[in-house]
């Protein structure tokens, strides 16, 4: 059964198997992975997971290059399928323009199964429980699959604009 789970170092091997499906240097939306994060060694992976978990605690300052966020991994039995991030606020200019409240990724071999749509709906429930009345999601103009997922969750296109990380379709969803 597919579920969202909190990042945990016990998922190291399963997470690496998912990560191996992505071309080297790929950006995984919603993963919280930054340059310099060591996910290959057990100690490095454990440190990265601790950083992701720290982002969730509003009583602590977020780690450098992060904002307060809730990270969840999409898993099925012992298979890591992807991840999703709910940013608690979008008070950074880049997030307001191009990043939005929610980012997600699904490993290539599991795409086309409506897994991202399910994870987005679950995350929208969490956003509502946190008091977020509406959330911003973005995708590249050439990412038709992501646009369909966002629209199926109630996303209303605000505009398509050029940002510092390239053009983005910007959608708002009432949570």
């Amino acid at each position: 059964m597919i579920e969202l789970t909190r990042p945990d170092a016990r998922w190291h091997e399963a997470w690496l198997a998912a990560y191996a499906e992505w071309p080297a240097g790929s950006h995984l939306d919603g993963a919280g992975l930054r340059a310099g994060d060591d996910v290959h060694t057990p100690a490095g992976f454990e440190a990265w997971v601790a950083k992701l978990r720290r982002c969730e605690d509003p009583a602590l300052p977020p780690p450098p290059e992060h904002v307060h966020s809730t990270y969840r991994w999409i898993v099925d039995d012992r298979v890591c399928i992807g991840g999703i991030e709910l940013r608690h606020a979008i008070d950074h200019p880049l997030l307001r323009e191009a990043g939005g409240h929610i980012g997600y990724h699904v490993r290539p071999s599991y795409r086309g199964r409506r897994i991202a749509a399910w994870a987005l709906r679950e995350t929208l429930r969490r956003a509502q429980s946190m008091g977020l009345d509406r959330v911003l999601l973005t995708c590249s103009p050439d990412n038709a699959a992501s646009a369909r997922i966002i629209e199926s969750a109630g996303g209303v296109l605000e505009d398509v604009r050029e940002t510092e990380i390239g053009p983005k379709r910007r959608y708002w969803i009432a949570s």
Side-chain angles (χ1 to χ4, degrees):
M1 179 170 97
I2 296 175
E3 62 183 321
L4 295 178
T5 190
R6 196 167 186 223
D8 191 303
R10 291 177 292 186
W11 284 91
H12 188 208
E13 288 183 31
W15 191 91
L16 283 177
Y19 187 60
E21 288 189 19
W22 294 84
S26 294
H27 172 74
L28 278 62
D29 288 328
L33 191 59
R34 303 292 188 267
D37 285 335
D38 170 19
V39 295
H40 296 285
T41 67
F45 190 79
E46 190 171 332
W48 176 62
V49 166
K51 186 171 20 174
L52 298 181
R53 293 174 77 128
R54 178 178 161 190
C55 288
E56 197 168 342
D57 188 344
L60 299 174
E65 298 184 35
H66 287 271
V67 296
H68 285 113
S69 298
T70 299
Y71 289 94
R72 292 294 181 262
W73 290 345
I74 307 165
V75 300
D76 185 10
D77 191 26
R78 295 297 304 157
V79 177
C80 188
I81 297 170
I84 193 161
E85 173 188 12
L86 170 60
R87 298 174 190 99
H88 302 173
I90 52 172
D91 48 8
H92 186 279
L94 181 60
L95 295 178
R96 279 194 304 271
E97 284 294 307
H101 286 93
I102 297 174
Y104 55 84
H105 65 279
V106 171
R107 69 194 282 179
S109 64
Y110 277 79
R111 291 182 183 163
R113 302 181 195 187
R114 310 241 351 118
I115 293 167
W118 170 83
L120 176 56
R121 285 191 308 275
E122 293 297 310
T123 303
L124 288 170
R125 287 187 188 96
R126 180 177 294 274
Q128 183 179 38
S129 72
M130 293 174 63
L132 297 172
D133 295 330
R134 64 185 197 138
V135 294
L136 175 67
L137 282 89
T138 69
C139 66
S140 296
D142 61 350
N143 190 341
S146 195
R148 279 192 305 276
I149 290 165
I150 295 167
E151 290 166 1
S152 75
V156 175
L157 181 66
E158 177 183 56
D159 61 18
V160 179
R161 67 175 70 164
E162 193 62 42
T163 73
E164 68 180 81
I165 59 172
K168 293 292 177 183
R169 295 177 63 91
R170 294 169 37 89
Y171 292 91
W172 288 95
I173 301 177
S175 58

